[in-house]
Amino acid sequence: MIKQNNTQMDASYTGKWHDNLWPPFTQITSAIAPQTIRHAKGALLFKEDGTTLIDAISSWWVTLHGHSDPYIAKAIYEQAQTLEQIIFADFTHPQAKLLAERLSQASGLQRVFFSDNGSTAVEVALKLAIQWWHNQGESRHQIIAFEGAYHGDTFGAMAVGERNLFNEPFNKLLFPVCRVPWPSTWWGDYEVENREKKALDHLETLLEVPTAAVIIEPLIQGAGGMKMVRPEFLQKVQQVVRQSNALLIADEVMVGFGRSGSLFASQRAEIFPDIMAFSKGLTGGFLPMGVTMASKKIFENFLGDDPKKTFWHGHSFTANPLGCAAANASLDLLEANPNSYLNFEHRHLPFLKDISKHPKVTKVRLTGTIAAFELKTDESNGYLNVAGKNIKAYALQHNVFIRPLGNVIYLLPPLCIEDSQLEHCYHVIKKSLDCF
Ligand SMILES: *Cc1c(COP(=O)(O)O)cnc(C)c1O
């Protein structure tokens, strides 16, 4: 019986998916067949059949300036011919030093710890926070995170993220984390202050227990559904966290490097975390790399003669020179043209205002390069909601690549997207709303 079932399933995807590939976050028995991309330039993906797609979500939020940006490509090429990799426990190299100086200057946090991706950057942040308390002889293990949070897919990152369908098999193995409601807001929301107050009251109660750290996605929860909060809320969170002496960790893996309309979302919200995690846009989206920034106060507690004080953590590719070269080149581009992200909201605004009038559209919101709204549906608003899936399929047929999160439709384009391309994305989405 089971065997038969398997055969049926095999038949349904044979020819759609390569026999040796296992794609991320995808149930291949029901997913749309993947398309092969041979090359990409700017905001455009070129398919094998010669047609193009506008990459309206920056290839899972990583492509910052645009695909195949020649300046970053050249920096990587030149670095590869000079120094491709070096063990970072015994050596350093110019690109790492330069990048660390620039990130420290920009974030106000002194130390940079390199890893490989967003999840590892979060793991490092959590381990630093726990060991920081341990090193000063205080046992603090309570961690507080927000409802709906997403911090990555490794075990520590899963533990601080929202418990849901995706991590259910591992639930028993995830360490306990306290949760605070996330008072997200949208255009025309008049009750946000009440929700913020409830969240803050809850946070204050939880903080009565000595807490190691509070982890937050500043301004925008990404995978949780592009849920945006007001800077005022984050400032109040910071205030109560400070009163309790807990550390504040900002997971800027998605929102960092201009996505939120300023270089870092923490800057825009005017909060000063003790620890920050970056990845995705760090290298302009060219190479996998994560960094965890820590304040001088954190770093100093790891110094001393006692080997137990050391942060015994590292990855083979720590501070990979190619990644550092890409990140430095990406920072060059951001510095050369800050208006590309500072003014992005104005580019979304007219289109978003227009689509907000559509009867099926609700909870419209915008922060920096990220615009989102929800579909009014009768069904539950979960990730598996089908309306978003239909809209994605329609958009693909009309040369736009989007990836709705359940009934949340969002655009998160690369900075280079042209006005006419952005307009086309909104046009297609609007038309799709009338089809379903
Ligand atoms: C994507 C993401 C992560 C995980 O990063 P990966 O590189 O996919 O491991 C962590 N936190 C946030 C906020 C993210 O958006």
Side-chain angles (χ1 to χ4, degrees):
M1 202 53 203
I2 288 167
K3 189 129 212 289
Q4 212 177 16
N5 233 334
N6 276 342
T7 320
Q8 273 173 10
M9 273 170 51
D10 278 348
S12 71
Y13 65 78
T14 297
K16 285 211 289 185
W17 288 87
H18 189 283
D19 281 347
N20 304 114
L21 293 176
W22 192 330
F25 267 107
T26 301
Q27 176 48 262
I28 60 178
T29 56
S30 53
I32 307 175
Q35 321 200 25
T36 301
I37 301 298
R38 287 257 184 223
H39 74 283
K41 188 80 197 156
L44 290 182
L45 309 175
F46 292 81
K47 294 195 291 183
E48 245 176 352
D49 63 8
T51 60
T52 59
L53 289 173
I54 299 172
D55 183 357
I57 63 150
S58 300
S59 284
W60 243 347
W61 323 342
V62 300
T63 306
L64 185 57
H65 307 280
H67 288 280
S68 307
D69 180 274
Y71 183 75
I72 300 177
K74 184 162 171 279
I76 296 171
Y77 174 72
E78 283 172 0
Q79 186 59 42
Q81 292 174 310
T82 315
L83 175 70
E84 87 302 349
Q85 169 65 6
I86 180 75
I87 169 173
F88 205 64
D90 300 279
F91 301 102
T92 182
H93 57 85
Q95 291 284 2
K97 287 193 262 188
L98 177 62
L99 180 57
E101 279 163 23
R102 295 171 90 175
L103 291 178
S104 176
Q105 173 109 50
S107 69
L109 296 173
Q110 191 193 34
R111 298 283 161 170
V112 179
F113 193 96
F114 288 96
S115 62
D116 304 334
N117 56 64
S119 304
T120 57
V122 168
E123 297 284 342
V124 168
L126 296 170
K127 285 178 72 174
L128 284 178
I130 299 292
Q131 193 179 337
W132 185 77
W133 285 106
H134 181 83
N135 280 2
Q136 56 189 346
E138 193 170 337
S139 171
R140 286 200 183 199
H141 292 96
Q142 175 161 285
I143 303 235
I144 300 175
F146 286 82
E147 286 171 12
Y150 177 78
H151 296 289
D153 286 340
T154 52
F155 268 81
M158 270 198 292
V160 284
E162 168 93 7
R163 304 299 162 86
N164 53 28
L165 160 85
F166 306 128
N167 48 44
E168 196 191 273
F170 316 106
N171 233 315
K172 284 210 167 113
L173 298 174
L174 301 177
F175 57 76
V177 169
C178 302
R179 301 267 161 210
V180 178
W182 181 251
S184 63
T185 189
W186 48 84
W187 291 359
D189 168 21
Y190 302 110
E191 272 138 40
V192 64
E193 285 176 23
N194 287 337
R195 291 199 303 278
E196 286 177 358
K197 184 160 186 322
K198 275 195 193 134
L200 287 161
D201 288 347
H202 192 66
L203 178 60
E204 267 190 283
T205 310
L206 291 174
L207 284 168
E208 285 167 11
V209 174
T211 299
V214 177
I215 183 166
I216 196 160
E217 289 162 89
L219 290 180
I220 312 161
Q221 279 188 341
M226 299 301 160
K227 296 208 165 118
M228 306 183 186
V229 291
R230 303 191 308 161
E232 294 92 318
F233 172 67
L234 295 179
Q235 287 154 19
K236 287 178 190 153
V237 165
Q238 166 169 271
Q239 208 178 343
V240 295
V241 171
R242 290 275 173 261
Q243 279 160 8
S244 75
N245 285 330
L247 298 176
L248 184 61
I249 302 173
D251 175 355
E252 293 228 11
V253 169
M254 180 188 78
V255 291
F257 301 99
R259 285 287 179 213
S260 73
S262 57
L263 193 57
F264 302 126
S266 298
Q267 266 171 7
R268 181 158 185 187
E270 295 179 60
I271 58 166
F272 304 90
D274 302 286
I275 299 175
M276 286 165 96
F278 299 120
S279 186
K280 295 198 167 111
L282 168 65
T283 60
F286 269 65
L287 289 168
M289 172 171 265
V291 302
T292 309
M293 310 283 310
S295 65
K296 192 162 174 254
K297 162 180 116 172
I298 304 285
F299 178 72
E300 282 176 346
N301 241 350
F302 288 77
L303 301 175
D305 295 331
D306 185 353
K308 281 196 203 147
K309 282 199 150 187
T310 313
F311 187 51
W312 297 113
H313 183 108
H315 297 277
S316 312
F317 286 100
T318 297
N320 172 257
L322 303 181
C324 291
N328 276 316
S330 176
L331 285 177
D332 290 345
L333 295 176
L334 289 173
E335 280 167 16
N337 189 9
N339 286 337
S340 63
Y341 58 91
L342 293 172
N343 290 336
F344 208 101
E345 270 171 28
H346 298 297
R347 303 184 57 194
H348 274 302
L349 207 52
F351 305 124
L352 199 58
K353 271 187 183 154
D354 178 53
I355 214 163
S356 73
K357 293 181 202 132
H358 196 283
K360 281 186 192 160
V361 169
T362 181
K363 297 191 177 175
V364 179
R365 57 239 188 205
L366 170 65
T367 301
T369 68
I370 307 175
F373 62 84
E374 289 173 31
L375 297 171
K376 282 185 198 157
T377 59
D378 302 333
E379 302 167 61
S380 71
N381 288 353
Y383 183 87
L384 303 178
N385 186 299
V386 295
K389 218 173 160 181
N390 291 336
I391 289 181
K392 175 184 175 181
Y394 180 93
L396 268 179
Q397 282 162 9
H398 295 83
N399 305 95
V400 174
F401 173 59
I402 54 173
R403 203 181 147 89
L405 294 156
N407 70 327
V408 178
I409 312 293
Y410 70 92
L411 294 176
L412 193 160
L415 297 175
C416 71
I417 193 168
E418 289 165 17
D419 284 335
S420 59
Q421 292 170 330
L422 194 60
E423 183 174 7
H424 183 68
C425 293
Y426 277 101
H427 174 74
V428 165
I429 291 171
K430 201 171 156 189
K431 281 197 94 175
S432 76
L433 294 176
D434 297 323
C435 298
F436 306 106

